[in-house]
Amino acid sequence: MIVLPECALMTPDGCDCLTALVLMPPFRHRLTTSAMVLVPQDPVRILPNDRPLQATFQTAGLLLPVVPGGNECHLYSLAEDDNAMTDTSRHTHWEQVYTTKGEREVSWFQESAEPSMELLRATGASADTRIIDIGAGASRLVDTLVHGGFQNVTVLDLSEAALSTARARLGARAETVQWIAADVTRWEPAQTFDVWHDRAAFHFLTEDTDRAAYVERMRRAVRPGGHVILGTFALDGPERCSGLAVVRYSGETLADTLGADFQLLATISHLHTTPWGSQQSFQFSTFRVA
Ligand SMILES: C[S@@+](CC[C@H](N)C(=O)[O-])C[C@H]1O[C@@H](n2cnc3c(N)ncnc32)[C@H](O)[C@@H]1O
């Protein structure tokens, strides 16, 4: 191990934990493990997680495994407690992600939105189906939908930066999409939808109150007989993503969480390959709304 004295990251007042992003560009493809948790006077512990480049540390002296060719260390985000995110810290976190990282520098990037499109087609969706993608980020699902002729597409995310990226990519065709910058747990839906899609946003809600607020909005926003497609980390998936804790689900535990208004139609397993080659176990479940 080496100590990087130039990483003079100081613990701010009132905060005893920092999260830092450690960039090791030439070696990304060789890393097979993920998060490195560093505690004072303790050797590095490598956890089986999804974030090979994420380090959480509690001292200003940052220890890293020796990586030939050198390391670069950047302050990434601050959080006292990932499990108790306030509205502000949640917004700040995601804005920071999308303003500091390129499309392929986030673990959830996918070139083509599968299995989402396959599951969407299975609901019988057609050009006039009203579809909302919740926590869409800068995902390319909207591109596939717009280029595929879907005319009623809404994209919601709490990061304005993520929405701007997707809008810019779509150019003039972005005008055909409804863009909503909002926290889904606070959002007041003004219309109903036929299909509610969410890949990897719901699983960040670790508090009962946030999950209840999400489900209540979903119940209001999807018409009776409409569909919900939820992709989350599976029970054997990562415990964290983007430095944040997540809740992992099976189709059954998700159905329990959503309640009786959402009838589970099908669950499929999906292995997502991150841009740096690690694999993440997802489940995608489709529900019909009562
Ligand atoms: C892991 S990313 C997935 C992005 C996208 N669904 C995809 O598959 O590429 C999680 C996304 O959820 C968004 N998000 C997290 N919490 C949210 C909330 N409470 N309301 C709205 N969006 C949220 C984040 O801004 C981020 O874009």
Side-chain angles (χ1 to χ4, degrees), residues 90-91 93-95 97-98 106-110 116 133-141 156-159 162 182-186 197-205 210 214 233 241-242 244 282:
R90 186 184 279 159
H91 179 261
H93 174 87
W94 289 108
E95 272 303 273
V97 167
Y98 287 109
V106 294
S107 62
W108 54 92
F109 171 75
Q110 48 176 188
S116 300
D133 190 14
I134 297 291
S139 159
R140 295 176 175 223
L141 175 62
L156 180 147
D157 199 278
L158 54 69
S159 164
D183 184 323
V184 63
T185 65
R186 304 281 177 272
H197 171 270
D198 173 334
R199 171 180 180 263
F202 179 72
H203 66 195
F204 287 106
L205 302 179
D210 283 338
Y214 180 106
F233 284 156
C241 179
S242 189
L244 306 177
F282 274 76

Side-chain angles (χ1 to χ4, degrees), residues 84-196:
M85 293 197 89
T86 62
D87 291 359
T88 310
S89 66
R90 186 184 279 159
H91 179 261
T92 304
H93 174 87
W94 289 108
E95 272 303 273
Q96 184 137 14
V97 167
Y98 287 109
T99 51
T100 60
K101 297 172 113 179
E103 199 181 29
R104 286 161 203 271
E105 290 179 302
V106 294
S107 62
W108 54 92
F109 171 75
Q110 48 176 188
E111 196 89 49
S112 75
E114 293 297 349
S116 300
M117 281 307 297
E118 176 195 334
L119 296 173
L120 200 59
R121 284 189 209 99
T123 67
S126 57
D128 59 353
T129 299
R130 296 161 300 165
I131 300 167
I132 184 162
D133 190 14
I134 297 291
S139 159
R140 295 176 175 223
L141 175 62
V142 61
D143 307 47
T144 308
L145 291 170
V146 168
H147 294 303
F150 288 87
Q151 292 156 10
N152 278 300
V153 180
T154 301
V155 168
L156 180 147
D157 199 278
L158 54 69
S159 164
E160 292 89 357
L163 298 179
S164 296
T165 299
R167 286 181 87 125
R169 211 176 47 227
L170 273 168
R173 300 190 85 161
E175 299 309 315
T176 67
V177 175
Q178 190 183 166
W179 304 90
I180 302 175
D183 184 323
V184 63
T185 65
R186 304 281 177 272
W187 171 58
E188 297 302 330
Q191 64 170 105
T192 55
F193 299 90
D194 302 304
V195 180
W196 172 291

Side-chain angles (χ1 to χ4, degrees), residues 8-289:
L9 301 173
M10 302 304 292
T11 304
D13 287 347
C15 177
D16 61 4
C17 176
L18 283 172
T19 302
L21 181 69
V22 180
L23 300 173
M24 294 175 258
F27 303 99
R28 280 182 181 187
H29 61 286
R30 292 195 206 159
L31 293 175
T32 52
T33 50
S34 56
M36 293 174 290
V37 175
L38 299 105
V39 290
Q41 284 90 50
D42 213 7
V44 173
R45 288 186 287 137
I46 308 288
L47 298 180
N49 205 326
D50 71 319
R51 298 290 306 159
L53 309 173
Q54 185 91 18
T56 302
F57 58 96
Q58 293 175 307
T59 66
L62 183 60
L63 297 175
L64 291 174
V66 173
V67 179
N71 304 302
E72 197 185 335
C73 182
H74 294 290
L75 187 60
Y76 172 61
S77 69
L78 303 177
E80 283 194 70
D81 178 359
D82 286 342
N83 293 322
M85 293 197 89
T86 62
D87 291 359
T88 310
S89 66
R90 186 184 279 159
H91 179 261
T92 304
H93 174 87
W94 289 108
E95 272 303 273
Q96 184 137 14
V97 167
Y98 287 109
T99 51
T100 60
K101 297 172 113 179
E103 199 181 29
R104 286 161 203 271
E105 290 179 302
V106 294
S107 62
W108 54 92
F109 171 75
Q110 48 176 188
E111 196 89 49
S112 75
E114 293 297 349
S116 300
M117 281 307 297
E118 176 195 334
L119 296 173
L120 200 59
R121 284 189 209 99
T123 67
S126 57
D128 59 353
T129 299
R130 296 161 300 165
I131 300 167
I132 184 162
D133 190 14
I134 297 291
S139 159
R140 295 176 175 223
L141 175 62
V142 61
D143 307 47
T144 308
L145 291 170
V146 168
H147 294 303
F150 288 87
Q151 292 156 10
N152 278 300
V153 180
T154 301
V155 168
L156 180 147
D157 199 278
L158 54 69
S159 164
E160 292 89 357
L163 298 179
S164 296
T165 299
R167 286 181 87 125
R169 211 176 47 227
L170 273 168
R173 300 190 85 161
E175 299 309 315
T176 67
V177 175
Q178 190 183 166
W179 304 90
I180 302 175
D183 184 323
V184 63
T185 65
R186 304 281 177 272
W187 171 58
E188 297 302 330
Q191 64 170 105
T192 55
F193 299 90
D194 302 304
V195 180
W196 172 291
H197 171 270
D198 173 334
R199 171 180 180 263
F202 179 72
H203 66 195
F204 287 106
L205 302 179
T206 56
E207 301 290 316
D208 284 344
T209 46
D210 283 338
R211 281 191 295 269
Y214 180 106
V215 172
E216 195 270 321
R217 278 150 181 83
M218 187 165 73
R219 183 69 194 85
R220 265 197 279 149
V222 185
R223 69 160 170 87
H227 291 88
V228 166
I229 300 167
L230 284 190
T232 68
F233 284 156
L235 294 181
D236 60 347
E239 291 173 9
R240 301 177 76 78
C241 179
S242 189
L244 306 177
V246 302
V247 180
R248 300 176 295 175
Y249 294 95
S250 64
E252 290 71 28
T253 63
L254 195 51
D256 283 347
T257 304
L258 301 190
D261 284 345
F262 300 90
Q263 181 199 355
L264 179 60
L265 299 181
T267 300
I268 61 165
S269 300
H270 176 75
L271 264 189
H272 167 63
T273 303
T274 67
W276 41 90
S278 59
Q279 293 208 305
Q280 300 178 328
S281 178
F282 274 76
Q283 70 74 38
F284 279 77
S285 292
T286 305
F287 298 84
R288 182 181 293 118
V289 179

